[in-house]
Amino acid sequence: MDRVLADPPELTSLYAGALAVSARAGLRRRQRPSALPLDRHRLDGLLAAPDEVEGFQRLMGRARGDFVPSGYVHILVFPVAVSVLSRPDFPLPLLGMIHLRNEIHHLRPIRLDERLAVTAWVENLTPHRSGSQVDVVVHVHSGPEMVWMGRSTYLAKGIHLTGTSDADVATAVAADASPAAEELPGCPTAEWSLGGDTGRRYAAVSGDYNPIHLSVLSARALGMKRPIAHGMYLASRMVAAAGPDESTPFKWTVEFRAPVLLPSRVLLSAEVDASSTAQWRGAEVVAWDPRRRRTHFSGRLERLTVDAGAK
Amino acid sequence: MNNLPTEPNSMSESNGMSESNRTAESDGTTESYRGGAKPRAAVVIGGNRIPFARSGGPYAYASNQDMLTAALDGLVARFGLQGERIGEVAAGAVLKHSRDFNLTREAVLGSALAADTPAYDLQQACATGLETVVGLSNKIKLGQIDSGIAGGADSASDAPVAVSEGLRRVLLDLSRARTTPQKLAALRNLRPADLKPNAPTTAEPRTGLSMGEHQAITTARWDISRQAQDELALASHTNMAAAYDRGFFDDLVTPFRGVSRDANLRADTSLEKLASLKPVFGRDLTAQATMTAGNSTPLTDGAAVVLLGSEDYARKHSLPMLANVVDAEAAAVDFVHGKEGLLMAPVYAMPRLLQRNNMTFADFDFFEIHEAFASTVLTSLAAWEDEDFCRTQLGLSGALGTVHRNKLNVNGSSLAAGHPFAATGARIVASLAKSLAEKGSGRGLISVCAAGGQGVVAILEAR
């Protein structure tokens, strides 16, 4: 069943609500629901704000064009997705959830003045070796036509809904944390110098003021030593650096591994399958931490033929 | 374009030079370029530079304009050009203040040249100096000018420091705001971090990797050893020290601010000393890091210029003719996607230049390959010797050829002299032209790599 939202939800108040919930949960153990809500949240008439797009593109190192960048669509629809995650009947805690993966089909260029209808829901609640994972699915329509669809996979660490014991969790987490030698590309093609304010700067353009990204203190409250970069900031920069020009439909996936603690120096290897941007066919990207030699994320981008993936 | 026996431009170009004088001195050959006819020669008359110095050293408070003016005035003194109107002066700087939009013209106005000498600025990263030589030589060949001064200056010490993007936008919005609420709104966008200024870096804008890190990747790809790099660095220092000792630079360098030799030159360096240095680039790669401060050029301050002219111009002014500027070729590579190394463009330009001129490496007696890093030279040499690379990447039928070390950078290059980006081209052209004049025959090849994945190569020929 669709629940139609009248206005775009305010991310900050959703986070504040979630913070209050987690504080209360700390006091008394709440019975978690074991199934996902089936409702879809829908918001109509969403419109990109040109000055926000400008700020977003400036942060990505690109010029603002006539179309909405793929990463900005995510920003636009994100509050609707979060409104699903912050429902009382959603079984996992919103704050502290870790972004594992994203898959986005950008089916056709979206003009800045197109009114968009967004539908978001959750599905695929499955156990993960260190908790539970869930998919958030977002479909974006312009009129009857689907123009963008995204699937984000999140992990709630330490939340086991299927009855695994705490001991299992401990071993799973320990195994996960052991820094096995990872196979990394021999040579980078780019280097990102991410300042301590990277999270605040992305929050300013995205409205996503999740405290885990903002400051040392607020990140510590959520169990991180230092603030971490937004996954979608990294992913959007990857798309800006290795993606096609803004009029090319494409599909892209990103898998997040070790979080990028801020400030940080990140090396990237981007293999772009193109002799020039006009013949862009796709790209494979790996980003890693040169000091600890651990993968931060990997991504794959590929061109979509005109009617691929359309409903 | 110009079918008159004399050149229209020349009438007013040299002060006090009468038209009849000019005609009398032309020896009957066709001087100006007419479609189809061979263009006239562009000649290197001589050069002048100030000694180069490491950034933050003796020239820490000298601006690009100060240094370029000093280099120009030294050239004027050397060739008696006081009050002369030169056809055109072209120069540039890579690290450039926005107020220096007319750097070269301002330097001309501050020099002993005639105030009616036109000038323009050019910027092509480390190829700036060589490209000014190419551009002015072409104008001379076409008969558009009879004389030209090409060169460049760079100060890594007096580098422009810009306000952050955030502060810049706030200041611009503030200047456009009319009312107090508008002004307050503009100021509200200011963040504390915006107050931190931006200093220029050697990082490539599209990759964020410094030039050294880019070259470290190429070095690893071509498996260039630490020892080979150190040996090349040592040769640069010993060759340049020997050239100073035999007076080679006496008529190429004019002292500036108490410095009379390139301050980076280490005549007493040795393989042991070079081997003791820690690697500074490529430490994040899986391959062993081999690039040190000893086999990489330091950030440098300096300026250099070259006097060019037609044969007629040189004869009329009783000036020497060291060498002809024969031809040049630029190239660029796709380093952004890691398809080729940042500094490999000259490798691609070289076969195109040689083919057009029906030449091979065997036709050359001197090779001036700019030492951005020792490994830049070594990867270029390795690429030209590699059959497979030359076939697949350069489209040749086999290896381009071998550059013999006894012909390479015989009077030292950037590892010894230092590398003030825009000044390097004119340093190389003047030194090579003099080497060719000393030898009295033969040809020289120049190869200069540049940021942005670009490069320029050129041929000079003895007269």
Side-chain angles (χ1 to χ4, degrees):
Chain A
M1 199 187 89
D2 281 7
R3 186 176 134 196
V4 180
L5 310 175
D7 294 303
E10 283 284 336
L11 271 186
T12 319
S13 58
L14 291 176
Y15 282 141
L19 206 59
V21 168
S22 62
R24 256 181 280 130
L27 292 177
R28 62 189 158 80
R29 250 188 136 70
R30 184 171 63 106
Q31 181 70 41
R32 291 185 187 283
S34 57
L36 292 176
L38 298 173
D39 284 358
R40 301 168 169 229
H41 286 198
R42 206 180 88 207
L43 181 64
D44 295 335
L46 260 181
L47 201 56
D51 54 335
E52 280 178 17
V53 175
E54 177 112 37
F56 174 84
Q57 289 292 66
R58 198 181 303 135
L59 197 60
M60 297 301 141
R62 280 227 172 171
R64 200 199 86 191
D66 299 328
F67 299 102
V68 189
S70 213
Y72 181 81
V73 179
H74 187 276
I75 288 175
L76 207 56
V77 305
F78 190 56
V80 183
V82 173
S83 75
V84 180
L85 300 180
S86 53
R87 287 166 63 104
D89 57 350
F90 179 70
L92 304 171
L94 168 62
L95 287 181
M97 280 213 304
I98 294 161
H99 200 162
L100 292 181
R101 188 172 189 279
N102 246 89
E103 176 177 325
I104 285 170
H105 288 73
H106 197 119
L107 298 168
R108 72 148 167 84
I110 304 165
R111 287 192 323 274
L112 286 172
D113 60 355
E114 281 187 73
R115 292 210 170 264
L116 303 171
V118 178
T119 314
W121 67 94
V122 285
E123 60 186 38
N124 287 350
L125 179 64
T126 47
H128 180 277
R129 64 184 184 281
S130 32
S132 302
Q133 68 174 59
V134 67
D135 284 356
V136 182
V137 182
V138 178
H139 284 184
V140 179
H141 285 81
S142 176
E145 185 188 9
M146 177 138 78
V147 291
W148 191 99
M149 56 184 188
R151 176 181 295 273
S152 307
T153 307
Y154 292 94
L155 164 70
K157 244 184 170 172
I159 311 285
H160 294 265
L161 300 168
T162 46
T164 36
S165 73
D166 279 359
D168 290 340
V169 176
T171 43
V173 170
D176 202 28
S178 74
E182 290 188 45
E183 188 140 334
L184 295 170
C187 290
T189 56
E191 176 179 325
W192 293 349
S193 291
L194 305 180
D197 62 347
T198 303
R200 294 190 293 277
R201 290 176 68 194
Y202 184 74
V205 301
S206 66
D208 181 0
Y209 285 93
N210 186 331
I212 204 164
H213 305 301
L214 301 182
S215 68
V216 174
L217 274 182
S218 63
R220 274 197 189 141
L222 292 165
M224 296 308 268
K225 273 184 297 226
R226 293 187 339 233
I228 62 172
H230 290 78
M232 286 310 290
Y233 165 78
L234 302 170
S236 299
R237 262 195 84 168
M238 172 189 84
V239 171
D245 65 73
E246 60 174 14
S247 62
T248 304
F250 69 120
K251 170 194 166 180
W252 55 281
T253 54
V254 58
E255 309 242 3
F256 298 102
R257 303 278 290 278
V260 176
L261 295 161
L262 298 170
S264 187
R265 201 164 63 84
V266 175
L267 293 184
L268 289 98
S269 162
E271 266 187 54
V272 178
D273 179 12
S275 52
S276 72
T277 46
Q279 292 151 318
W280 186 91
R281 285 182 292 273
E284 299 231 16
V285 181
V286 179
W288 70 95
D289 174 344
R291 292 278 164 264
R292 292 164 68 221
R293 299 204 59 76
R294 296 186 66 183
T295 305
H296 285 311
F297 66 87
S298 58
R300 175 193 287 265
L301 301 88
E302 57 190 282
R303 190 185 197 102
L304 289 179
T305 48
V306 178
D307 54 349
K311 250 183 174 173
Chain B
M1 40 164 283
N2 172 6
N3 287 321
L4 299 170
T6 54
E7 306 141 36
N9 289 337
S10 66
M11 289 176 67
S12 52
E13 188 177 320
S14 324
N15 284 351
M17 182 71 62
S18 78
E19 191 60 20
S20 58
N21 258 347
R22 254 176 196 279
T23 322
E25 279 188 35
S26 85
D27 53 7
T29 56
T30 308
E31 274 269 308
S32 58
Y33 180 62
R34 301 170 195 178
K38 198 173 185 290
R40 65 179 184 172
V43 178
V44 179
I45 293 168
N48 182 62
R49 64 183 177 93
I50 60 172
F52 296 166
R54 282 195 187 197
S55 75
Y59 305 161
Y61 299 103
S63 68
N64 282 333
Q65 194 183 317
D66 293 342
M67 293 191 291
L68 185 57
T69 308
L72 279 173
D73 275 340
L75 190 80
V76 167
R78 180 159 295 140
F79 296 104
L81 303 173
Q82 290 86 347
E84 282 279 320
R85 179 161 95 79
I86 296 296
E88 200 155 34
V89 180
V94 174
L95 298 174
K96 195 168 163 183
H97 290 263
S98 55
R99 63 164 184 265
D100 283 342
F101 59 92
N102 245 340
L103 170 70
T104 311
R105 172 65 180 147
E106 292 298 328
V108 166
L109 285 172
S111 76
L113 291 170
D116 55 354
T117 297
Y120 68 93
D121 277 30
L122 188 146
Q123 209 165 20
Q124 198 185 28
C126 308
T128 300
L130 184 54
E131 186 56 32
T132 60
V133 172
V134 174
L136 289 185
S137 298
N138 288 346
K139 284 194 174 194
I140 289 168
K141 289 179 185 181
L142 286 171
Q144 292 172 335
I145 54 174
D146 285 338
S147 62
I149 298 174
D154 251 298
S155 171
S157 304
D158 189 47
V161 173
V163 299
S164 72
E165 270 303 287
L167 179 55
R168 197 175 67 84
R169 280 177 191 276
V170 167
L171 291 175
L172 288 171
D173 284 343
L174 199 59
S175 72
R176 284 186 284 259
R178 291 175 180 274
T179 65
T180 307
Q182 281 174 348
K183 285 177 184 165
L184 287 173
L187 279 171
R188 261 201 303 278
N189 290 324
L190 189 65
R191 287 154 197 284
D194 290 340
L195 297 175
K196 215 177 107 195
N198 290 349
T201 70
T202 56
E204 277 293 326
R206 276 174 196 275
T207 64
L209 289 166
S210 72
M211 191 173 276
E213 290 302 332
H214 268 292
Q215 179 57 39
I217 294 167
T218 315
T219 307
R221 207 171 274 174
W222 285 91
D223 201 17
I224 306 294
S225 75
R226 165 76 185 266
Q227 186 173 345
Q229 295 174 52
D230 286 350
E231 282 168 4
L232 193 98
L234 179 66
S236 188
H237 284 280
T238 48
N239 286 351
M240 181 158 276
Y244 266 108
D245 288 346
R246 67 184 169 85
F248 180 78
F249 291 110
D250 286 355
D251 57 359
L252 291 172
V253 176
T254 306
F256 181 65
R257 301 209 175 178
V259 183
S260 54
R261 270 189 178 205
D262 300 309
N264 185 58
L265 175 61
R266 298 281 177 276
D268 60 345
T269 194
S270 64
L271 273 184
E272 291 71 39
K273 281 183 191 168
L274 288 165
S276 70
L277 299 170
K278 283 204 177 72
V280 288
F281 299 116
R283 289 180 301 182
D284 297 328
L285 306 182
T286 41
Q288 203 184 351
T290 55
M291 294 169 60
T292 68
N295 57 41
S296 310
T297 47
L299 290 173
T300 314
D301 305 337
V305 289
V306 177
L307 178 60
L308 304 162
S310 66
E311 292 172 326
D312 244 15
Y313 175 86
R315 288 197 193 100
K316 264 172 215 155
H317 289 74
S318 307
L319 293 170
M321 291 187 262
L322 303 182
N324 289 349
V325 181
V326 177
D327 199 3
E329 174 84 13
V333 294
D334 179 6
F335 69 98
V336 179
H337 302 114
K339 291 198 167 47
E340 186 49 277
L342 176 71
L343 303 180
M344 290 291 274
V347 171
Y348 291 75
M350 190 63 85
R352 300 190 321 224
L353 178 70
L354 294 178
Q355 270 167 8
R356 184 164 64 230
N357 290 276
N358 264 323
M359 293 177 190
T360 68
F361 281 162
D363 294 307
F364 293 89
D365 303 275
F366 299 101
F367 292 82
E368 283 284 347
I369 305 179
H370 160 52
E371 298 165 339
F373 304 90
S375 61
T376 316
V377 180
L378 295 167
T379 46
S380 300
L381 301 186
W384 291 325
E385 285 176 14
D386 188 297
E387 276 206 41
D388 189 48
F389 176 88
C390 288
R391 275 209 193 96
T392 57
Q393 298 301 310
L394 305 183
L396 305 175
S397 56
L400 185 64
T402 299
V403 173
H404 293 291
R405 295 301 177 88
N406 59 353
K407 297 178 176 179
L408 175 67
N409 299 343
V410 293
N411 295 308
S413 184
S414 302
L415 285 167
H419 171 40
F421 309 118
T424 289
R427 172 187 70 73
I428 292 176
V429 168
S431 291
L432 176 59
K434 184 171 174 187
S435 295
L436 288 166
E438 280 183 343
K439 186 173 188 301
S441 66
R443 296 189 190 91
L445 259 181
I446 299 172
S447 167
V448 176
C449 56
Q454 306 209 90
V456 179
V457 295
I459 298 173
L460 299 193
E461 190 171 42
R463 296 182 51 83

